[in-house]
Amino acid sequence: MDRGPLDRWRPRLFLAVALAVVVTFGTLGASHWQPGARDVDALGLLLALVGPVVLLTLPRRPVLAVLLAVAAVGTYLALGYAWGPALGGTVGVLVMVLLTGPAARARVVAWSGALLMWGIVVGAAALRDDGTRVGGLLGGAAWTAVALLVATGIRERLARAAAWRAARADRERTAVATERLRIARELHDVLAHSLSAINVQAGVGLHLLDRDVEQARSALASIKTTSRDALDEVRAVLGVVRGEEDGGGDGVAPPTDTPEPRTPTWDLAALPRLAEPLRARGVAVRFDVDPALQPPGAVPAHVAGVAYRVVQESLTNVSRHAPRARDVVVRVGRDGDRLRVTVDDDGGPAGSHDGDTAGYGLRGMRERVEGAGGTLDAGPAARGFAVAAAIPLPADLSGRAGGIRRARPDSSKEDA
């Protein structure tokens, strides 16, 4: 059950002790100031202290606490004891019910208790006929209403503060989860592509080691380059995780005029390097990239990064799951207000593609594209398997002329 923001023992103890002190000394003093009142004895003091006692002992039963406090103060007044501070114990119970009980029920119980208490007070005043003024009764009722309204305001303010803290904690948890997912995708893309490339190149090197030393040396050089690039990208990602400016871990900051980037950066002109593992296997990879999109900064970094990872993961999937593929076409261009990226292979029907087409790679691609506000389609195509992503471009770029250029089998293409 949703309890109030002050539903703890310390606030109740503090209020109960404060009320007990005020009620005790106030009641003893009031008996001397009101000549016609009955002298306070043990019974009177006990009745006056019922409010502070039930405030501590019955925090989870607000209705019973209010009834006991109201009955005690009614009995106290009916027996002729002095007016005044004895009512404070019951008002304290009503205030604590508002602060600690379930919100909707607490209001009903507290205000109903206040009406019941003042009905009993008015009845006791009529029975005693000791010259009690109506103005004094109305003033006491007004002060009770003020106390309840102040308690309501405090509760709402504390509830809003608690809700704000909970929302902030939820946003922080969401941000952490989102960052973890982003880092996981980055590491998956880097490691899956790089290790796949290293595996292919190592196989080529072993196969040619005794027959063609130069080709084997070239494969080993490719392994070195691929592993170095992968280490650089992993280092950049881990630098973000550690929150270090140097991205290294040796405790030495880089020169201030050449700081390392906190996150990996890409440009679309670097896409052809992703084809090396497939080319080492004899697969022709053709790139049709709009020249206007290739210079650094021509496409916003977050859009270029998504496009780069889509191509990277698509080519990795071809290398791992399409052993029959011999030709892959990568197209990148504008389509209205979107950057469109397509990767098609000729690996044959879907059944010739090994592995699970709904694995982490495709899921990561989809999450990355959708996170940028785009859409991704992946599935069997006429020749084999096709991946198509559409990523929104900023307004200042999407308005420029341009569109998808179809791949042409001419010498301008990057191929095997």
Side-chain angles (χ1 to χ4, degrees), residues 208-383:
L208 299 175
L209 186 61
D210 296 329
R211 295 186 301 171
D212 192 334
V213 176
E214 288 302 321
Q215 287 287 347
R217 182 179 291 110
S218 176
L220 292 175
S222 297
I223 290 174
K224 179 180 179 181
T225 301
T226 301
S227 60
R228 182 192 61 203
D229 293 343
L231 286 173
D232 289 341
E233 290 197 53
V234 170
R235 186 185 182 202
V237 173
L238 295 181
V240 176
V241 177
R242 291 191 299 263
E244 297 176 357
E245 292 294 341
D246 62 328
D250 53 5
V252 180
T256 56
D257 56 341
T258 58
E260 292 191 17
R262 293 295 304 275
T263 57
T265 57
W266 309 270
D267 57 76
L268 299 182
L271 290 177
R273 72 177 185 176
L274 299 175
E276 293 303 324
L278 288 173
R279 288 171 177 166
R281 209 181 72 185
V283 179
V285 182
R286 294 176 290 157
F287 287 86
D288 181 19
V289 182
D290 188 340
L293 303 176
Q294 296 186 31
V299 178
H302 73 281
V303 177
V306 172
Y308 185 95
R309 290 305 192 198
V310 167
V311 174
Q312 182 182 54
E313 183 59 31
S314 299
L315 296 181
T316 299
N317 285 343
V318 172
S319 177
R320 296 174 60 191
H321 304 312
R324 299 183 185 180
R326 289 297 176 264
D327 180 68
V328 180
V329 179
V330 179
R331 299 184 180 93
V332 182
R334 294 194 192 92
D335 184 11
D337 61 350
R338 291 175 177 263
L339 179 72
R340 186 169 293 276
V341 180
T342 60
V343 181
D344 300 278
D345 68 67
D346 64 345
S352 65
H353 285 248
D354 302 331
D356 180 10
T357 58
Y360 288 109
L362 287 178
R363 186 170 72 182
M365 271 197 294
R366 189 176 305 279
E367 291 173 348
R368 190 187 298 275
V369 172
E370 291 177 352
T375 58
L376 182 134
D377 295 316
R383 300 197 309 158

Side-chain angles (χ1 to χ4, degrees), residues 131-207:
T132 304
R133 295 182 179 179
V134 176
L137 296 177
L138 291 177
W143 279 111
T144 302
V146 168
L148 295 183
L149 290 174
V150 170
T152 301
I154 293 174
R155 180 192 177 103
E156 291 177 353
R157 185 178 183 88
L158 292 174
R160 285 196 299 269
W164 180 82
R165 288 192 297 270
R168 183 178 65 177
D170 185 65
R171 288 194 300 270
E172 291 174 352
R173 287 192 297 269
T174 301
V176 170
T178 301
E179 184 65 9
R180 286 176 176 171
L181 182 60
R182 187 190 70 80
I183 292 169
R185 285 198 300 261
E186 294 288 349
L187 292 177
H188 172 273
D189 291 345
V190 172
L191 296 178
H193 177 79
S194 302
L195 293 178
S196 176
I198 290 172
N199 179 65
V200 171
Q201 292 159 352
V204 171
L206 288 174
H207 181 70

Side-chain angles (χ1 to χ4, degrees), residues 90-101:
T90 304
V91 175
V93 172
L94 298 177
V95 168
M96 190 53 64
V97 166
L98 267 178
L99 292 176
T100 62

